[in-house]
Coordinates of all heavy atoms in Angstrom, one line a residue:
Chain A
M587 N 13.4 -21.6 -1.0 CA 13.5 -21.0 -2.3 C 13.3 -19.5 -2.1 O 12.3 -19.1 -1.5 CB 12.5 -21.6 -3.3 CG 12.8 -21.1 -4.7 SD 11.5 -21.7 -5.8 CE 11.9 -23.4 -6.0
E589 N 12.2 -17.3 -4.0 CA 11.0 -16.8 -4.7 C 9.9 -16.6 -3.7 O 8.9 -16.0 -4.0 CB 10.6 -17.6 -5.9 CG 11.5 -17.5 -7.0 CD 11.2 -18.5 -8.1 OE1 11.6 -19.7 -7.9 OE2 10.4 -18.2 -9.0
I590 N 9.9 -17.4 -2.6 CA 8.9 -17.2 -1.6 C 9.2 -16.1 -0.8 O 10.2 -16.0 -0.1 CB 8.7 -18.5 -0.8 CG1 8.3 -19.7 -1.7 CG2 7.7 -18.3 0.3 CD1 8.3 -21.0 -1.1
V591 N 8.3 -15.1 -0.8 CA 8.6 -13.8 -0.1 C 7.8 -13.9 1.2 O 6.6 -14.1 1.2 CB 8.1 -12.6 -1.0 CG1 8.5 -11.3 -0.3 CG2 8.7 -12.7 -2.4
R592 N 8.5 -13.6 2.3 CA 7.9 -13.7 3.6 C 7.0 -12.5 3.9 O 6.0 -12.5 4.4 CB 8.9 -13.8 4.7 CG 9.8 -15.1 4.5 CD 9.0 -16.4 4.8 NE 9.7 -17.5 4.3 CZ 9.2 -18.7 4.1 NH1 8.0 -19.0 4.5 NH2 9.9 -19.7 3.6
D593 N 7.6 -11.3 3.5 CA 6.8 -10.1 4.0 C 7.0 -8.8 3.2 O 6.9 -7.8 3.8 CB 7.0 -9.8 5.5 CG 5.9 -9.0 6.1 OD1 4.7 -9.3 5.7 OD2 6.1 -8.2 6.9
I595 N 5.9 -7.9 -0.7 CA 5.6 -8.3 -2.1 C 5.5 -6.9 -2.9 O 4.8 -6.0 -2.5 CB 4.2 -8.9 -2.2 CG1 3.9 -9.9 -1.0 CG2 4.0 -9.6 -3.5 CD1 4.8 -11.0 -0.9
D596 N 6.2 -6.9 -4.0 CA 6.1 -5.7 -4.8 C 4.9 -5.8 -5.7 O 4.7 -6.8 -6.4 CB 7.4 -5.6 -5.6 CG 8.6 -5.2 -4.8 OD1 8.4 -4.5 -3.8 OD2 9.7 -5.7 -5.0
V597 N 4.1 -4.8 -5.7 CA 3.0 -4.7 -6.6 C 3.0 -3.4 -7.4 O 3.4 -2.4 -6.9 CB 1.6 -4.9 -5.9 CG1 1.5 -6.2 -5.2 CG2 1.5 -3.8 -4.8
A612 N 2.6 -9.7 3.1 CA 2.0 -10.9 2.4 C 0.6 -11.1 2.7 O -0.2 -11.5 1.9 CB 2.8 -12.1 2.7
G613 N 0.2 -10.8 4.0 CA -1.2 -11.1 4.4 C -2.1 -9.9 4.3 O -3.3 -10.0 4.8
Q614 N -1.7 -8.8 3.8 CA -2.6 -7.6 3.8 C -3.7 -7.7 2.8 O -3.5 -8.0 1.6 CB -1.7 -6.3 3.5 CG -2.6 -5.1 3.6 CD -1.7 -3.8 3.5 OE1 -1.0 -3.6 2.6 NE2 -1.9 -2.9 4.4
H615 N -4.9 -7.4 3.3 CA -6.1 -7.4 2.4 C -6.0 -6.2 1.4 O -5.5 -5.1 1.8 CB -7.4 -7.2 3.1 CG -7.6 -8.2 4.2 ND1 -8.4 -7.9 5.3 CD2 -7.1 -9.4 4.4 CE1 -8.4 -8.9 6.1 NE2 -7.6 -9.8 5.6
I617 N -8.5 -4.4 0.8 CA -9.2 -3.3 1.4 C -8.4 -2.5 2.4 O -8.5 -1.3 2.4 CB -10.6 -3.8 2.1 CG1 -11.5 -2.7 2.4 CG2 -10.3 -4.7 3.2 CD1 -12.0 -1.9 1.3
D618 N -7.5 -3.2 3.1 CA -6.7 -2.4 4.1 C -5.6 -1.6 3.3 O -5.2 -0.5 3.8 CB -6.0 -3.4 5.1 CG -7.0 -3.9 6.2 OD1 -8.1 -3.2 6.3 OD2 -6.7 -4.9 6.8
L622 N -5.6 2.0 4.3 CA -4.5 2.5 5.2 C -3.3 3.1 4.5 O -2.7 4.0 4.9 CB -4.1 1.3 6.1 CG -5.2 0.5 6.9 CD1 -4.6 -0.7 7.6 CD2 -5.8 1.5 7.9
A631 N -14.0 -2.0 5.8 CA -13.7 -3.3 6.2 C -14.6 -3.6 7.4 O -14.6 -2.8 8.4 CB -12.2 -3.5 6.6
S632 N -15.4 -4.6 7.4 CA -16.3 -4.9 8.4 C -16.3 -6.3 8.9 O -15.5 -6.6 9.9 CB -17.7 -4.5 7.9 OG -18.7 -4.7 8.9
C633 N -16.9 -7.2 8.3 CA -16.9 -8.6 8.8 C -15.6 -9.3 8.5 O -15.2 -10.2 9.2 CB -18.1 -9.4 8.1 SG -17.8 -9.7 6.4
E634 N -14.9 -8.9 7.4 CA -13.7 -9.5 7.0 C -13.8 -11.0 6.7 O -12.8 -11.7 6.8 CB -12.5 -9.2 8.0 CG -12.3 -7.7 8.0 CD -11.1 -7.3 8.8 OE1 -10.7 -8.1 9.8 OE2 -10.4 -6.2 8.5
H635 N -15.0 -11.5 6.4 CA -15.0 -12.8 5.9 C -16.0 -13.0 4.7 O -16.5 -14.1 4.5 CB -15.1 -14.0 6.9 CG -16.2 -13.9 7.8 ND1 -16.2 -13.1 9.0 CD2 -17.4 -14.5 7.8 CE1 -17.4 -13.3 9.6 NE2 -18.1 -14.1 8.9
G636 N -16.2 -11.9 4.0 CA -16.9 -12.0 2.8 C -18.4 -12.0 2.9 O -19.1 -12.1 1.9
V637 N -19.0 -11.7 4.0 CA -20.4 -11.9 4.2 C -21.1 -10.5 4.0 O -22.3 -10.5 3.5 CB -20.7 -12.4 5.6 CG1 -22.2 -12.4 5.9 CG2 -20.2 -13.9 5.7
T642 N -16.8 -4.0 -0.9 CA -16.9 -4.2 -2.3 C -16.2 -3.1 -3.1 O -16.6 -1.9 -3.0 CB -18.3 -4.4 -2.7 OG1 -18.9 -5.4 -1.9 CG2 -18.4 -4.9 -4.2
V645 N -12.5 -4.6 -9.4 CA -11.1 -5.0 -9.8 C -11.2 -5.6 -11.2 O -12.0 -6.6 -11.4 CB -10.5 -6.1 -8.8 CG1 -9.2 -6.6 -9.3 CG2 -10.4 -5.5 -7.4
N646 N -10.5 -5.1 -12.1 CA -10.5 -5.6 -13.5 C -12.0 -5.7 -14.0 O -12.3 -6.7 -14.7 CB -9.8 -6.9 -13.7 CG -8.3 -6.7 -13.4 OD1 -7.7 -5.7 -13.5 ND2 -7.7 -7.8 -12.9
D648 N -14.8 -6.2 -12.4 CA -15.7 -6.9 -11.6 C -15.8 -6.4 -10.2 O -14.8 -6.0 -9.6 CB -15.3 -8.4 -11.5 CG -15.2 -9.1 -12.8 OD1 -16.1 -8.9 -13.6 OD2 -14.3 -9.9 -13.0
A649 N -17.0 -6.4 -9.6 CA -17.2 -6.1 -8.2 C -16.7 -7.3 -7.4 O -17.1 -8.4 -7.7 CB -18.7 -5.9 -7.9
V650 N -15.8 -7.0 -6.5 CA -15.2 -8.1 -5.7 C -15.1 -7.7 -4.2 O -15.2 -6.5 -3.9 CB -13.8 -8.6 -6.2 CG1 -13.8 -8.8 -7.7 CG2 -12.7 -7.5 -5.8
R651 N -14.9 -8.7 -3.4 CA -14.7 -8.4 -1.9 C -13.3 -7.9 -1.7 O -12.3 -8.7 -1.9 CB -14.9 -9.7 -1.2 CG -16.3 -10.3 -1.3 CD -17.3 -9.5 -0.5 NE -18.5 -10.2 -0.2 CZ -19.7 -9.7 -0.6 NH1 -19.8 -8.6 -1.3 NH2 -20.8 -10.4 -0.2
C653 N -12.0 -7.7 1.1 CA -11.4 -8.4 2.3 C -11.1 -9.8 1.9 O -10.5 -10.5 2.7 CB -12.4 -8.4 3.4 SG -13.9 -9.5 3.2
L654 N -11.5 -10.3 0.7 CA -11.2 -11.7 0.3 C -10.1 -11.7 -0.8 O -10.0 -12.7 -1.5 CB -12.4 -12.5 -0.1 CG -13.5 -12.7 1.0 CD1 -14.6 -13.6 0.5 CD2 -12.8 -13.3 2.2
M655 N -9.5 -10.6 -1.0 CA -8.4 -10.5 -1.9 C -7.2 -9.9 -1.2 O -7.4 -8.9 -0.5 CB -8.9 -9.6 -3.1 CG -7.9 -9.5 -4.2 SD -8.6 -8.8 -5.7 CE -7.1 -8.6 -6.7
L656 N -6.0 -10.5 -1.5 CA -4.8 -9.9 -0.9 C -4.3 -8.8 -1.8 O -4.4 -8.8 -3.0 CB -3.8 -11.0 -0.7 CG -4.2 -12.2 0.1 CD1 -3.0 -13.2 0.1 CD2 -4.5 -11.8 1.6
A657 N -3.7 -7.8 -1.1 CA -3.1 -6.7 -1.9 C -2.1 -7.3 -2.9 O -2.0 -6.9 -4.0 CB -2.4 -5.7 -1.0
A658 N -1.4 -8.4 -2.4 CA -0.4 -9.0 -3.3 C -1.0 -9.6 -4.6 O -0.3 -9.6 -5.6 CB 0.3 -10.1 -2.5
Q659 N -2.3 -9.9 -4.5 CA -2.9 -10.5 -5.7 C -3.3 -9.4 -6.7 O -3.7 -9.7 -7.8 CB -4.2 -11.3 -5.3 CG -4.0 -12.5 -4.5 CD -5.3 -13.1 -4.1 OE1 -5.9 -12.7 -3.2 NE2 -5.7 -14.2 -4.9
A660 N -3.2 -8.2 -6.3 CA -3.7 -7.1 -7.2 C -2.6 -6.6 -8.1 O -2.8 -5.6 -8.8 CB -4.2 -5.9 -6.3
D661 N -1.4 -7.2 -8.1 CA -0.4 -6.8 -9.0 C -0.9 -6.8 -10.5 O -1.5 -7.8 -10.9 CB 0.8 -7.8 -8.9 CG 2.0 -7.3 -9.8 OD1 2.4 -6.2 -9.6 OD2 2.5 -8.1 -10.5
E705 N -22.4 -2.5 -11.1 CA -22.1 -3.7 -11.9 C -23.3 -4.3 -12.5 O -23.4 -4.7 -13.7 CB -21.4 -4.7 -11.0 CG -21.2 -6.1 -11.7 CD -20.4 -7.1 -11.0 OE1 -21.0 -7.6 -9.9 OE2 -19.3 -7.4 -11.4
R709 N -24.6 -4.6 -16.6 CA -24.7 -5.8 -17.3 C -26.1 -6.1 -17.8 O -26.4 -6.8 -18.8 CB -24.3 -7.0 -16.4 CG -22.8 -7.1 -16.4 CD -22.3 -8.3 -15.7 NE -20.8 -8.1 -15.6 CZ -20.0 -8.7 -14.8 NH1 -20.5 -9.5 -13.9 NH2 -18.7 -8.5 -14.8
E720 N -31.7 -9.7 -5.6 CA -30.8 -10.9 -5.7 C -29.3 -10.4 -5.8 O -28.5 -10.9 -5.1 CB -31.2 -11.8 -6.8 CG -30.3 -13.0 -7.1 CD -30.2 -13.9 -6.0 OE1 -31.1 -14.1 -5.2 OE2 -29.1 -14.6 -5.9
H721 N -29.1 -9.5 -6.7 CA -27.8 -9.0 -6.9 C -27.2 -8.3 -5.7 O -26.0 -8.4 -5.4 CB -27.7 -8.0 -8.1 CG -26.3 -7.7 -8.6 ND1 -25.6 -8.6 -9.4 CD2 -25.5 -6.7 -8.2 CE1 -24.4 -8.1 -9.6 NE2 -24.3 -7.0 -8.9
L722 N -28.0 -7.6 -4.9 CA -27.5 -6.9 -3.8 C -27.6 -7.8 -2.5 O -27.3 -7.3 -1.4 CB -28.3 -5.6 -3.6 CG -28.1 -4.6 -4.7 CD1 -29.0 -3.3 -4.4 CD2 -26.7 -4.2 -4.9
S723 N -28.0 -9.1 -2.7 CA -28.2 -9.9 -1.5 C -26.9 -10.1 -0.7 O -26.9 -10.5 0.5 CB -28.7 -11.3 -1.9 OG -27.8 -12.0 -2.7
G724 N -25.7 -9.9 -1.3 CA -24.5 -10.0 -0.6 C -24.0 -8.7 0.1 O -22.9 -8.7 0.6
N725 N -24.8 -7.7 0.1 CA -24.5 -6.4 0.7 C -25.4 -6.1 1.9 O -26.6 -5.9 1.6 CB -24.5 -5.3 -0.3 CG -23.4 -5.4 -1.4 OD1 -23.5 -6.3 -2.2 ND2 -22.5 -4.5 -1.3
Y726 N -24.9 -6.1 3.1 CA -25.8 -5.9 4.2 C -25.9 -4.4 4.5 O -25.0 -3.6 4.3 CB -25.1 -6.5 5.5 CG -25.3 -8.0 5.6 CD1 -25.7 -8.7 4.5 CD2 -25.0 -8.6 6.8 CE1 -25.8 -10.1 4.6 CE2 -25.1 -10.0 6.9 CZ -25.5 -10.7 5.8 OH -25.6 -12.1 6.0
Chain B
M149 N -10.8 -10.0 11.5 CA -9.5 -10.3 11.8 C -8.6 -10.2 10.6 O -9.0 -10.3 9.5 CB -9.4 -11.7 12.4 CG -9.1 -11.7 13.9 SD -8.7 -13.4 14.4 CE -10.3 -14.1 14.5
K150 N -7.3 -10.2 10.8 CA -6.3 -10.1 9.7 C -5.7 -11.4 9.5 O -5.5 -12.2 10.5 CB -5.3 -9.0 10.0 CG -5.8 -7.7 10.4 CD -6.7 -7.0 9.4 CE -7.3 -5.7 9.9 NZ -8.3 -5.2 9.0
A151 N -5.3 -11.7 8.2 CA -4.6 -12.9 7.9 C -3.2 -13.0 8.4 O -2.5 -12.0 8.5 CB -4.6 -13.1 6.4
A152 N -2.8 -14.2 8.9 CA -1.4 -14.4 9.3 C -0.8 -15.4 8.3 O -1.2 -16.6 8.5 CB -1.3 -14.8 10.7
V153 N 0.0 -15.0 7.4 CA 0.5 -16.0 6.4 C 2.0 -16.1 6.6 O 2.7 -15.2 7.1 CB 0.1 -15.6 5.0 CG1 -1.4 -15.3 4.8 CG2 0.9 -14.3 4.5
G154 N 2.5 -17.2 6.0 CA 3.9 -17.5 6.2 C 4.7 -17.1 5.0 O 5.9 -17.2 5.0
G155 N 4.0 -16.6 3.9 CA 4.7 -16.2 2.7 C 3.8 -16.2 1.5 O 2.7 -16.7 1.6
Y156 N 4.3 -15.7 0.4 CA 3.5 -15.6 -0.8 C 4.5 -15.7 -2.0 O 5.6 -15.2 -1.9 CB 2.8 -14.2 -0.8 CG 2.1 -13.8 -2.1 CD1 0.8 -14.2 -2.2 CD2 2.8 -13.2 -3.1 CE1 0.1 -13.8 -3.4 CE2 2.1 -12.9 -4.3 CZ 0.8 -13.2 -4.4 OH 0.2 -12.9 -5.6
A157 N 4.0 -16.4 -3.0 CA 4.7 -16.5 -4.2 C 3.8 -16.6 -5.4 O 2.7 -17.2 -5.3 CB 5.7 -17.7 -4.2
R158 N 4.1 -15.9 -6.5 CA 3.3 -15.9 -7.7 C 3.9 -16.9 -8.6 O 5.0 -16.7 -9.1 CB 3.4 -14.5 -8.3 CG 2.1 -13.8 -8.5 CD 2.4 -12.3 -9.0 NE 2.1 -11.4 -7.9 CZ 2.8 -10.3 -7.6 NH1 3.9 -10.1 -8.2 NH2 2.4 -9.5 -6.6
R160 N 4.5 -18.6 -12.2 CA 4.5 -18.2 -13.6 C 3.7 -19.2 -14.4 O 3.0 -18.8 -15.4 CB 5.9 -18.1 -14.1 CG 6.7 -16.9 -13.6 CD 8.1 -16.8 -14.3 NE 8.9 -18.0 -14.0 CZ 9.7 -18.1 -12.9 NH1 9.8 -17.2 -12.0 NH2 10.4 -19.2 -12.7
H164 N 6.1 -24.2 -12.5 CA 6.6 -23.3 -11.4 C 5.8 -23.4 -10.1 O 6.4 -23.5 -9.0 CB 6.7 -21.9 -12.0 CG 7.3 -20.9 -11.1 ND1 6.9 -19.6 -10.9 CD2 8.4 -21.0 -10.2 CE1 7.6 -19.0 -10.1 NE2 8.5 -19.8 -9.6
E167 N 6.7 -26.5 -8.3 CA 8.0 -26.4 -7.7 C 8.0 -25.6 -6.4 O 8.6 -25.9 -5.4 CB 9.1 -25.8 -8.7 CG 9.5 -26.8 -9.7 CD 10.3 -26.2 -10.9 OE1 10.4 -25.0 -10.9 OE2 10.7 -27.0 -11.7
L168 N 7.2 -24.5 -6.5 CA 7.0 -23.6 -5.3 C 6.4 -24.4 -4.2 O 6.8 -24.3 -3.0 CB 6.2 -22.4 -5.7 CG 6.8 -21.3 -6.5 CD1 5.8 -20.3 -7.1 CD2 7.9 -20.6 -5.7
S171 N 8.8 -26.7 -2.6 CA 9.9 -26.1 -1.9 C 9.4 -25.5 -0.6 O 10.2 -25.0 0.2 CB 10.6 -25.0 -2.7 OG 9.7 -23.9 -2.9
A172 N 8.1 -25.5 -0.4 CA 7.5 -24.8 0.8 C 7.5 -25.8 2.0 O 6.9 -25.5 3.1 CB 6.1 -24.3 0.5
L179 N -3.4 -20.9 -3.8 CA -4.3 -19.8 -3.7 C -4.9 -19.6 -5.1 O -4.2 -19.2 -6.0 CB -3.6 -18.5 -3.2 CG -4.4 -17.2 -3.2 CD1 -5.6 -17.3 -2.2 CD2 -3.5 -16.0 -2.8
A180 N -6.2 -19.8 -5.2 CA -6.9 -19.7 -6.5 C -7.7 -18.4 -6.4 O -7.2 -17.3 -6.4 CB -7.7 -20.9 -6.8
G181 N -9.0 -18.5 -6.2 CA -9.9 -17.3 -6.1 C -9.8 -16.7 -4.7 O -10.2 -15.5 -4.6
G182 N -9.4 -17.5 -3.8 CA -9.3 -17.0 -2.4 C -10.6 -16.8 -1.6 O -10.6 -16.3 -0.5
Q183 N -11.7 -17.2 -2.2 CA -13.0 -16.9 -1.6 C -13.3 -17.8 -0.4 O -14.2 -17.4 0.4 CB -14.1 -16.9 -2.7 CG -13.9 -15.9 -3.8 CD -13.7 -14.5 -3.3 OE1 -14.7 -13.8 -2.9 NE2 -12.5 -14.0 -3.3
S184 N -12.6 -18.9 -0.3 CA -12.7 -19.7 0.9 C -11.4 -19.5 1.7 O -11.4 -19.4 2.9 CB -13.0 -21.2 0.6 OG -14.3 -21.3 0.1
V186 N -8.9 -17.1 1.7 CA -8.6 -15.8 2.4 C -9.6 -15.6 3.6 O -9.2 -15.2 4.6 CB -8.6 -14.7 1.4 CG1 -8.4 -13.3 2.1 CG2 -7.6 -14.9 0.3
A187 N -10.9 -16.1 3.4 CA -11.8 -16.0 4.5 C -11.3 -16.9 5.7 O -11.3 -16.4 6.8 CB -13.2 -16.5 4.1
L189 N -8.1 -17.7 6.3 CA -6.9 -17.0 6.8 C -7.4 -15.8 7.7 O -6.8 -15.6 8.8 CB -6.1 -16.4 5.7 CG -5.4 -17.4 4.8 CD1 -4.8 -16.7 3.5 CD2 -4.3 -18.1 5.5
N190 N -8.4 -15.1 7.3 CA -8.9 -13.9 8.1 C -9.4 -14.4 9.4 O -9.3 -13.7 10.4 CB -10.0 -13.2 7.3 CG -9.4 -12.4 6.1 OD1 -8.2 -12.4 5.9 ND2 -10.3 -11.9 5.3
M191 N -10.1 -15.6 9.4 CA -10.6 -16.1 10.7 C -9.6 -16.8 11.5 O -9.9 -17.4 12.5 CB -11.8 -17.0 10.4 CG -13.0 -16.2 9.9 SD -14.5 -17.3 9.8 CE -14.5 -17.7 8.0
V198 N 2.3 -20.9 3.3 CA 3.0 -20.2 2.2 C 2.0 -20.3 1.0 O 1.8 -21.3 0.4 CB 4.3 -20.9 1.9 CG1 4.9 -20.4 0.6 CG2 5.3 -20.7 3.1
L199 N 1.6 -19.1 0.6 CA 0.5 -19.1 -0.5 C 1.2 -19.1 -1.8 O 2.0 -18.2 -2.1 CB -0.3 -17.8 -0.3 CG -0.9 -17.6 1.1 CD1 -1.7 -16.3 1.2 CD2 -1.9 -18.8 1.4
V200 N 0.8 -20.1 -2.6 CA 1.3 -20.1 -4.0 C 0.1 -19.7 -4.9 O -0.9 -20.4 -5.1 CB 1.7 -21.6 -4.4 CG1 2.1 -21.6 -5.8 CG2 2.9 -22.0 -3.4
D201 N 0.2 -18.5 -5.4 CA -0.8 -17.8 -6.2 C -0.8 -18.4 -7.6 O 0.2 -18.1 -8.3 CB -0.6 -16.3 -6.2 CG -1.7 -15.5 -6.8 OD1 -2.6 -16.1 -7.5 OD2 -1.7 -14.3 -6.6
A203 N -3.1 -17.7 -10.0 CA -4.0 -16.9 -10.8 C -3.5 -16.8 -12.3 O -4.3 -16.7 -13.2 CB -4.2 -15.6 -10.2
R225 N -13.8 -19.1 -13.4 CA -14.6 -18.6 -12.3 C -16.1 -18.9 -12.3 O -16.6 -19.1 -13.4 CB -14.4 -17.0 -12.3 CG -13.0 -16.7 -12.0 CD -12.8 -15.2 -12.1 NE -11.4 -14.9 -11.6 CZ -10.8 -13.8 -11.8 NH1 -11.4 -12.8 -12.4 NH2 -9.6 -13.6 -11.3
A227 N -18.6 -17.1 -12.1 CA -19.4 -16.2 -12.9 C -19.2 -16.5 -14.4 O -20.2 -16.5 -15.2 CB -19.0 -14.7 -12.7
R231 N -22.1 -17.9 -17.4 CA -22.4 -17.3 -18.6 C -21.8 -18.0 -19.9 O -22.0 -17.5 -21.0 CB -22.2 -15.8 -18.7 CG -20.9 -15.3 -18.0 CD -20.7 -13.8 -18.2 NE -19.4 -13.4 -17.8 CZ -19.1 -12.9 -16.6 NH1 -20.0 -12.5 -15.8 NH2 -17.8 -12.6 -16.3
G247 N -26.1 -19.9 -9.8 CA -27.1 -19.0 -9.1 C -27.3 -19.3 -7.6 O -27.7 -18.4 -6.9
A250 N -23.2 -18.5 -3.2 CA -22.8 -17.2 -2.6 C -23.4 -16.0 -3.4 O -24.6 -16.1 -3.8 CB -21.3 -17.1 -2.6
H251 N -22.7 -14.9 -3.5 CA -23.2 -13.7 -4.0 C -22.4 -13.3 -5.2 O -21.2 -13.8 -5.4 CB -23.2 -12.6 -3.0 CG -23.8 -13.0 -1.7 ND1 -25.1 -13.1 -1.5 CD2 -23.2 -13.4 -0.5 CE1 -25.4 -13.5 -0.3 NE2 -24.2 -13.7 0.3
A252 N -22.9 -12.4 -6.0 CA -22.2 -12.0 -7.3 C -20.7 -11.7 -7.1 O -19.9 -12.1 -7.9 CB -23.0 -10.8 -7.9
A253 N -20.4 -10.9 -6.1 CA -19.0 -10.5 -5.9 C -18.1 -11.6 -5.6 O -16.9 -11.6 -6.0 CB -18.9 -9.4 -4.9
I254 N -18.6 -12.7 -5.0 CA -17.8 -13.8 -4.6 C -17.7 -14.7 -5.9 O -16.7 -15.3 -6.2 CB -18.5 -14.6 -3.4 CG1 -18.2 -13.7 -2.2 CG2 -17.9 -16.0 -3.2 CD1 -19.1 -14.0 -1.0
R255 N -18.8 -14.8 -6.6 CA -18.8 -15.6 -7.9 C -17.9 -15.0 -8.9 O -17.4 -15.7 -9.8 CB -20.2 -15.7 -8.5 CG -21.2 -16.3 -7.5 CD -22.5 -16.8 -8.2 NE -23.3 -15.7 -8.6 CZ -24.4 -15.4 -8.0 NH1 -24.8 -16.0 -6.8 NH2 -25.2 -14.4 -8.4
N256 N -17.6 -13.7 -8.8 CA -16.6 -13.1 -9.7 C -15.2 -13.5 -9.5 O -14.3 -13.4 -10.4 CB -16.7 -11.5 -9.6 CG -17.8 -10.9 -10.3 OD1 -18.4 -11.5 -11.2 ND2 -18.2 -9.7 -9.9
R257 N -14.9 -14.0 -8.3 CA -13.5 -14.5 -8.1 C -13.4 -16.0 -7.7 O -12.3 -16.5 -8.0 CB -12.9 -13.7 -6.9 CG -12.4 -12.3 -7.4 CD -11.5 -11.6 -6.5 NE -10.2 -12.2 -6.4 CZ -9.2 -12.0 -7.3 NH1 -9.4 -11.2 -8.3 NH2 -8.0 -12.6 -7.1
R337 N -31.2 -18.1 3.4 CA -31.2 -16.9 2.6 C -30.5 -17.1 1.3 O -29.6 -17.9 1.2 CB -30.5 -15.7 3.3 CG -31.2 -15.1 4.5 CD -30.2 -14.2 5.2 NE -28.9 -14.9 5.3 CZ -27.9 -14.4 6.0 NH1 -27.9 -13.2 6.5 NH2 -26.8 -15.2 6.1
S338 N -30.9 -16.3 0.3 CA -30.2 -16.3 -1.0 C -28.7 -16.2 -0.7 O -28.2 -15.3 0.0 CB -30.7 -15.2 -1.8 OG -29.9 -15.1 -3.0
G339 N -27.9 -17.0 -1.3 CA -26.4 -16.9 -1.1 C -25.8 -17.7 0.0 O -24.6 -18.0 0.1
D340 N -26.7 -18.2 0.9 CA -26.2 -19.0 2.0 C -25.9 -20.4 1.5 O -26.5 -20.9 0.5 CB -27.2 -19.1 3.1 CG -27.2 -17.9 4.1 OD1 -26.5 -17.0 3.8 OD2 -28.0 -18.0 5.1

Side-chain angles (χ1 to χ4, degrees):
Chain A
M587 191 186 285
E589 284 172 281
I590 295 172
V591 185
R592 300 289 163 193
D593 202 35
I595 322 297
D596 291 323
V597 292
Q614 183 173 50
H615 307 153
I617 190 66
D618 282 345
L622 306 175
S632 181
C633 68
E634 298 187 331
H635 57 276
V637 174
T642 307
V645 177
N646 296 333
D648 297 320
V650 309
R651 298 288 200 236
C653 72
L654 294 188
M655 182 167 172
L656 302 176
Q659 292 176 283
D661 186 48
E705 172 175 68
R709 282 188 187 159
E720 172 63 29
H721 191 83
L722 296 177
S723 65
N725 291 69
Y726 284 12
Chain B
M149 248 190 284
K150 310 299 177 190
V153 309
Y156 172 92
R158 234 172 253 141
R160 287 184 299 272
H164 186 216
E167 284 166 358
L168 285 166
S171 71
L179 174 61
Q183 301 302 287
S184 292
V186 177
L189 292 168
N190 291 352
M191 288 188 263
V198 169
L199 305 177
V200 176
D201 186 347
R225 294 174 170 167
R231 40 175 192 257
H251 311 284
I254 289 162
R255 302 198 287 258
N256 280 339
R257 282 196 69 82
R337 281 171 313 184
S338 173
D340 278 4

